[in-house]
Amino acid sequence: MKVEQISIFLENRPGTLRDVTKVLGNAAVNIRSLSLADTTDFGILRIIVDNVDATKKILHDKGIAAGINIVVAVEVPDRPGGLDKILERLCQEEIGVEYMYAFVEKSKGNAVMIFRFDSTDRAIDVLTAAGFTVLTGEEVYSL
């Protein structure tokens, strides 16, 4: 139920983001979801792709600095308050959300959110016990 996310460190200058997308596009890697955060000097591009192993190799071969983080994909009821119910349950268990972002596709009519937790295994246990659907990596990569 864990998803591998690739975090790519980018110098904050024009063209560095395009360098990555060009390399991945040329290698037929499909970016399924992404988040980009920046500071004055650098940015972090967080991506979920359809082929993690191939992407890691491509980035390494091209000298692009990247790391792997474990995140969790959770189906969120696509209605007002859907996300709040998940956050309410996490808050009751004092599980912190380090960051989150939306996924490109829906799953069975539900929105999908990507979470990075301060306690990943505990968060998965709490969410599944509360009846929320936590997707496997394979399910996410193939959406």
Side-chain angles (χ1 to χ4, degrees):
M1 292 189 192
K2 297 176 185 175
V3 178
E4 288 185 300
Q5 168 194 270
I6 300 173
S7 296
I8 302 167
F9 303 94
L10 304 172
E11 185 180 343
N12 198 357
R13 63 176 174 76
T16 56
L17 179 58
R18 196 302 164 121
D19 292 343
V20 172
T21 60
K22 182 178 180 181
V23 165
L24 297 180
N26 288 342
V29 171
N30 193 7
I31 298 172
R32 304 303 302 137
S33 188
L34 66 83
S35 170
L36 180 62
D38 70 340
T39 66
T40 303
D41 298 322
F42 70 93
I44 300 175
L45 174 64
R46 296 176 171 115
I47 59 175
I48 295 175
V49 296
D50 62 343
N51 189 331
V52 175
D53 293 332
T55 303
K56 289 189 287 190
K57 181 176 180 347
I58 292 160
L59 294 173
H60 179 267
D61 290 350
K62 294 292 186 180
I64 297 172
I68 301 294
N69 299 105
I70 300 300
V71 293
V72 179
V74 182
E75 285 187 1
V76 178
D78 192 11
R79 63 178 178 271
L83 177 59
D84 180 60
K85 294 298 180 195
I86 290 172
L87 295 175
E88 175 184 39
R89 186 68 188 114
L90 294 167
C91 188
Q92 290 168 347
E93 295 294 326
E94 297 183 1
I95 296 172
V97 175
E98 294 180 7
Y99 58 81
M100 61 184 279
Y101 55 95
F103 198 76
V104 177
E105 295 286 334
K106 288 187 173 190
S107 176
K108 299 176 213 125
N110 292 309
V112 178
M113 296 295 296
I114 304 297
F115 290 88
R116 168 87 176 191
F117 297 113
D118 61 4
S119 180
T120 301
D121 291 330
R122 199 161 142 251
I124 291 169
D125 291 343
V126 165
L127 291 171
T128 55
F132 295 105
T133 300
V134 177
L135 302 173
T136 67
E138 291 73 27
E139 289 172 313
V140 171
Y141 309 141
S142 68
L143 282 177

